[in-house]
């Protein structure tokens, strides 16, 4: 059961992607599962996009971004996301391997964090059209701590192909 959002809830953004199996169905199911996380409300979700892999091979990805309001800590949220990935058969054989599902915490309020497990904001989000375009669709005024306004970064990713799925 999802609890009502309180003033203490953190606004978070989750990057969602997959390129193995029925990636569209997997991303859609991930969005449903995000809405069921404890102490969390799914506040917004982007449309689905198709993108070519970046720094990797394999089939095209289906991507989206979800906005969550949660009282889960960043570490608890990460653990919940990894459980959803595992439920979809996620394996990590090597860096940037094709995957059934990838769920990344992009932003957790304006928190900046770097430890052995989690880096916030996500270290490559400003370099990826598949993150910026769906993020700006649902939160056009997003500010990335330590970087700046997300909309100002679009010129840096304009050469990355991204197509809206219908």
């Amino acid at each position: 059961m999802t609890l009502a959002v309180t003033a203490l809830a953190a606004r978070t953004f989750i990057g969602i992607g997959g390129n193995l199996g029925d990636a569209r169905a997997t991303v859609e199911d991930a969005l449903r599962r995000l809405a069921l996380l404890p102490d969390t409300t799914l506040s917004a979700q982007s449309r689905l996009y198709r993108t070519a892999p970046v720094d990797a091979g394999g089939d095209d990805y289906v991507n989206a971004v979800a906005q969550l309001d949660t009282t889960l800590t960043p570490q608890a949220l990460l653990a919940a996301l990894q459980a959803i990935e595992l439920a979809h058969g996620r394996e990590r054989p090597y860096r940037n391997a094709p995957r059934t599902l990838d769920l990344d915490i992009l932003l957790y309020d304006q928190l900046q964090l770097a430890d052995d497990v989690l880096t916030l904001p996500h270290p490559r989000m400003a370099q990826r059209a598949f993150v910026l375009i769906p993020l700006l669709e649902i939160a056009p005024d997003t500010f990335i701590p330590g970087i700046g306004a997300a909309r100002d970064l679009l010129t840096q990713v304009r050469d990355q192909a991204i197509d809206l799925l219908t």
Side-chain angles (χ1 to χ4, degrees):
M1 179 166 85
T2 302
L3 298 178
V5 177
T6 69
L8 300 176
R11 167 107 349 130
T12 65
F13 293 93
I14 309 301
I16 307 164
N19 74 332
L20 293 177
D22 187 345
R24 183 180 193 138
T26 299
V27 169
E28 290 170 342
D29 185 67
L31 286 162
R32 283 189 291 277
R33 289 174 186 245
L34 290 173
L36 298 174
L37 289 176
D39 305 319
T40 301
T41 299
L42 174 62
S43 327
Q45 66 186 55
S46 73
R47 294 174 290 177
L48 303 182
Y49 292 85
R50 179 178 312 284
T51 61
V54 176
D55 299 330
D59 294 337
D60 286 350
Y61 276 81
V62 174
N63 295 100
V65 170
Q67 176 183 311
L68 304 178
D69 293 303
T70 186
T71 57
L72 297 174
T73 65
Q75 295 77 11
L77 180 58
L78 179 62
L81 298 180
Q82 290 174 340
I84 294 171
E85 289 176 340
L86 286 174
H88 281 281
R90 170 72 189 263
E91 296 178 357
R92 300 174 192 273
Y94 55 90
R95 181 171 167 74
N96 293 330
R99 57 206 67 162
T100 54
L101 181 63
D102 187 30
L103 297 172
D104 291 321
I105 303 174
L106 304 172
L107 297 166
Y108 186 98
D109 274 340
Q110 293 296 301
L111 180 64
Q112 291 182 278
L113 170 73
D115 63 26
D116 294 338
V117 178
L118 183 60
T119 301
L120 295 170
H122 189 282
R124 291 170 303 285
M125 70 177 286
Q127 304 161 1
R128 307 289 194 241
F130 66 80
V131 170
L132 293 173
I133 290 172
L135 172 65
L136 290 166
E137 175 188 325
I138 61 174
D141 296 324
T142 299
F143 182 85
I144 303 170
I147 296 174
R151 72 176 152 263
D152 295 343
L153 303 169
L154 287 175
T155 58
Q156 297 173 20
V157 299
R158 68 175 168 253
D159 60 333
Q160 296 176 22
I162 182 168
D163 298 309
L164 183 63
L165 291 177
T166 55

